[in-house]
Amino acid sequence: MTERLIQSIERAADVLELFLTNGPELSVKEISDKLQLSKSTVHGIIKTLEHRGYLQQNPEDLKYKLGIKLFTLGNFVGKHLDIGNIARPIIRELADEVNETVHLVTIQRDEVIYIEKVEGPRALTIYSHIGKRAPVHCTGVGKAILAHLSEKEVDRLLSAASLEAFTGYTMTDVNQIKKQLVTIRETGYAVDDEEIELGLKCIAAPIFNHKGNVIASISCAAPKMRLVEEKLPRVIAGIKSAAAEISKSLGYKGNNF
Amino acid sequence: MTERLIQSIERAADVLELFLTNGPELSVKEISDKLQLSKSTVHGIIKTLEHRGYLQQNPEDLKYKLGIKLFTLGNFVGKHLDIGNIARPIIRELADEVNETVHLVTIQRDEVIYIEKVEGPRALTIYSHIGKRAPVHCTGVGKAILAHLSEKEVDRLLSAASLEAFTGYTMTDVNQIKKQLVTIRETGYAVDDEEIELGLKCIAAPIFNHKGNVIASISCAAPKMRLVEEKLPRVIAGIKSAAAEISKSLGYKGNNF
DNA sequence: TTCTTTCATTCGCCATTGTCGAACAGCGTT
DNA sequence: AACGCTGTTCGACAATGGCGAATGAAAGAA
């Protein structure tokens, strides 16, 4: 199990990923400081990445930013993430119907990742974007997926995630979360009620592939005050049926349990 | 000018980019063959990239495909990258090839706006500059965009614009223009033949984003007398393929939904 | 102006790192 | 069972890339 990892590639990855967290433009010095590597080392890495189009230098201030090659590769990946293509029209329709923002996510490396987003017509926008990652334990989409994984997987994911508390409502007790997963399985949808961000509520439902495994989920996210009373049942029904429709398009045969 | 390039990063880039040309799933062997590297070397690179999320292995057939991290990075780039950067090298090349001025425009508030211009080597310069606005109904770039908008949008734009006649050739009848849009859709390019300025002819083609919407267009503009006979087909082919290339870089998947 | 500071970039040396060939381990086929 | 085809692991050696120091270039400060 001793994998042979190549240091310079890891370092290059460190450099690239630094841009995700530290803003779109960085100087050699900023990078070498953050990564604790010598300027000359960082310079070498950067020039190589630039040469390949993974970074590009701004001639004005000599700073660097992520390059077009990444955009090309990213789009290629997106194209072959076929669930996105299938789900897109369906969630778009749902977003129109409920007048709210709808997200599509999958689970990857212990976290939830947003692969599609349709903004509702209402201007008030939720902070999220395609490619964003979020924890599983305190998002509707995360819990919708968790609820349909094996006990073993759930344990792994909940222990890997540090169960950070983002708000006073975030659940940080594994058993408490597991208990909720039962309800989610029974009702067919998951709720995130200000567990990751105050004022934000989400209703989510799972998506299954042709083998019957959960591979994704969708959610409707809105300011808490908008998901109430008469509207809530409509949103729940909408999310559940949209999720079911996507599952069906993916070849899922139905819920036999 | 002797840049110090780091080999293993270049090799990692080679691996990633191989997926762009050789299909979405490759095995270790396929990669090592194509790159003429030993299996163990490739294996090391791949495992590193996989470890970082740049590749992922399909547990079924053990083949690898591009990973989600690239998706994340690509979307980040997309958000901070404007079309100008993507298009610039492509239209520059085109300008060299056809020896004429090439423009890139988008549509903004009912008008066309020039966001990039590459002058051809020939001195005779067309009056235009970055930031300039022009009407949609009598420019090649405007019509190329119009042709791919919804009927509703077209109506709105053509009524908002006053359909001013700049020359004796300017079309001012909505129905006449709409008829021409059909031809533009069929042939894939638009022509402006002295419709905005006497003696000026343009050949334009539309640019689509990843969602399949027109967001821009490019054109080759030249004195009418230079766009004739043998040269015209070359220019048309050049403009169309450059536009297609830009669209592709933007994630446009092709015209089959 | 001239001196100072701050970065980006280049260079040469040496230890570290990654490459290769070979061996091992699974799996399906003959 | 033996073979052929993979993906994966291992050890040894040499090329490679990392570091510190030098250079260049630009922007302030005196």
Side-chain angles (χ1 to χ4, degrees):
Chain A
M1 200 52 194
T2 34
E3 267 163 15
R4 190 113 168 208
L5 298 178
I6 297 177
Q7 225 185 52
S8 44
I9 296 178
E10 293 251 319
R11 290 185 172 166
D14 284 337
V15 169
L16 293 178
E17 288 158 34
L18 208 59
F19 286 86
L20 293 179
T21 53
N22 293 63
E25 275 209 8
L26 298 173
S27 67
V28 174
K29 178 129 205 326
E30 285 171 312
I31 297 171
S32 68
D33 284 352
K34 302 258 187 218
L35 298 183
Q36 314 232 61
L37 291 170
S38 74
K39 267 193 301 170
S40 40
T41 302
V42 169
H43 188 255
I45 295 169
I46 284 179
K47 279 298 166 195
T48 310
L49 290 170
E50 185 191 21
H51 180 243
R52 286 313 206 101
Y54 291 76
L55 288 178
Q56 63 186 86
Q57 190 173 30
N58 181 346
E60 307 266 314
D61 56 6
L62 301 181
K63 289 191 171 194
Y64 293 84
K65 60 181 177 178
L66 296 174
I68 300 194
K69 183 63 72 46
L70 287 168
F71 187 64
T72 306
L73 286 163
N75 279 311
F76 188 85
V77 173
K79 184 160 42 173
H80 294 275
L81 279 178
D82 47 357
I83 177 170
N85 291 324
I86 292 173
R88 197 170 302 118
I90 298 172
I91 64 178
R92 186 153 293 159
E93 196 181 340
L94 176 63
D96 277 352
E97 187 191 319
V98 300
N99 258 18
E100 297 292 356
T101 297
V102 176
H103 291 116
L104 167 68
V105 315
T106 50
I107 198 160
Q108 288 263 336
R109 320 174 114 248
D110 311 338
E111 282 183 314
V112 138
I113 181 165
Y114 290 80
I115 58 177
E116 195 71 42
K117 170 188 182 179
V118 180
E119 304 229 358
R122 307 224 202 170
L124 205 145
T125 153
I126 307 287
Y127 173 65
S128 68
H129 61 85
I130 293 180
K132 189 191 174 190
R133 296 168 167 280
V136 283
H137 70 287
C138 56
T139 52
V141 279
K143 290 191 288 187
I145 294 175
L146 276 185
H148 298 272
L149 292 174
S150 68
E151 176 104 18
K152 214 178 84 195
E153 272 290 294
V154 172
D155 284 335
R156 194 181 66 75
L157 286 167
L158 291 183
S159 68
S162 52
L163 300 190
E164 187 181 345
F166 291 86
T167 73
Y169 302 103
T170 308
M171 285 191 257
T172 54
D173 177 55
V174 175
N175 289 323
Q176 189 188 4
I177 296 173
K178 282 192 181 176
K179 214 155 136 189
Q180 205 186 29
L181 297 184
V182 178
T183 314
I184 295 170
R185 271 194 295 276
E186 282 165 359
T187 58
Y189 69 94
V191 179
D192 152 23
D193 199 354
E194 302 192 292
E195 289 161 45
I196 189 166
E197 199 179 320
L198 284 176
L200 177 65
K201 188 167 179 177
C202 300
I203 307 296
I207 293 172
F208 302 92
N209 68 3
H210 64 105
K211 293 181 188 164
N213 301 323
V214 230
I215 53 161
S217 66
I218 55 174
S219 79
C220 170
K224 177 166 183 165
M225 45 165 285
R226 281 218 300 260
L227 287 184
V228 284
E229 300 306 310
E230 6 67 68
K231 187 166 186 180
L232 194 55
R234 257 178 52 220
V235 170
I236 292 171
I239 280 283
K240 283 176 69 172
S241 81
E245 194 179 341
I246 297 168
S247 297
K248 197 178 140 210
S249 301
L250 290 170
Y252 179 54
K253 307 285 188 315
N255 41 1
N256 37 357
F257 29 79
Chain B
M1 200 53 191
T2 33
E3 267 161 14
R4 185 103 163 222
L5 297 179
I6 297 177
Q7 226 185 52
S8 46
I9 296 178
E10 293 251 321
R11 289 184 172 165
D14 284 336
V15 169
L16 293 179
E17 288 158 35
L18 208 59
F19 287 86
L20 294 179
T21 53
N22 294 62
E25 275 209 9
L26 298 173
S27 66
V28 175
K29 179 132 204 330
E30 285 171 311
I31 296 171
S32 68
D33 284 351
K34 302 258 188 218
L35 298 183
Q36 314 233 59
L37 292 170
S38 74
K39 265 194 305 171
S40 40
T41 301
V42 169
H43 187 254
I45 295 169
I46 283 179
K47 279 298 166 195
T48 309
L49 289 171
E50 184 190 20
H51 180 242
R52 286 311 208 102
Y54 291 76
L55 288 179
Q56 62 187 90
Q57 190 172 32
N58 180 346
E60 307 266 313
D61 57 5
L62 300 183
K63 290 190 172 196
Y64 293 84
K65 61 179 176 180
L66 295 175
I68 295 284
K69 182 63 72 48
L70 289 168
F71 186 65
T72 304
L73 286 163
N75 280 107
F76 187 85
V77 173
K79 259 209 302 298
H80 296 271
L81 194 71
D82 57 324
I83 176 174
N85 290 323
I86 293 176
R88 196 169 303 119
I90 298 172
I91 64 179
R92 186 152 294 158
E93 197 181 338
L94 176 63
D96 278 352
E97 187 191 319
V98 300
N99 258 19
E100 298 291 357
T101 297
V102 176
H103 291 117
L104 167 68
V105 312
T106 50
I107 200 159
Q108 289 230 345
R109 322 173 113 250
D110 311 339
E111 283 184 315
V112 139
I113 182 166
Y114 290 79
I115 58 177
E116 195 71 41
K117 171 189 182 179
V118 181
E119 304 232 356
R122 307 223 201 171
L124 203 146
T125 151
I126 305 288
Y127 172 65
S128 68
H129 62 85
I130 292 179
K132 188 191 174 191
R133 294 168 168 279
V136 282
H137 70 288
C138 57
T139 52
V141 277
K143 291 191 287 186
I145 293 176
L146 276 185
H148 297 273
L149 291 174
S150 68
E151 175 105 19
K152 215 177 82 193
E153 272 289 296
V154 171
D155 284 334
R156 194 180 68 73
L157 287 167
L158 291 183
S159 69
S162 52
L163 302 190
E164 189 182 345
F166 291 87
T167 74
Y169 303 102
T170 308
M171 285 191 259
T172 55
D173 177 55
V174 175
N175 289 322
Q176 190 188 2
I177 297 173
K178 282 194 183 176
K179 213 155 138 191
Q180 205 186 28
L181 297 184
V182 178
T183 314
I184 295 171
R185 271 194 295 276
E186 281 166 359
T187 57
Y189 69 95
V191 178
D192 151 23
D193 200 353
E194 302 191 292
E195 290 162 45
I196 190 167
E197 200 179 317
L198 283 175
L200 176 65
K201 188 168 180 176
C202 300
I203 306 297
I207 294 172
F208 303 91
N209 70 2
H210 65 106
K211 293 181 186 165
N213 302 323
V214 229
I215 52 161
S217 65
I218 55 174
S219 78
C220 170
K224 177 165 183 166
M225 45 166 286
R226 281 219 300 262
L227 286 184
V228 285
E229 299 306 311
E230 6 66 68
K231 187 167 187 180
L232 194 56
R234 258 177 50 221
V235 170
I236 292 173
I239 280 281
K240 283 176 70 172
S241 81
E245 194 179 341
I246 296 169
S247 296
K248 196 176 143 211
S249 299
L250 289 170
Y252 179 54
K253 319 250 185 347
N255 41 4
N256 38 355
F257 27 86

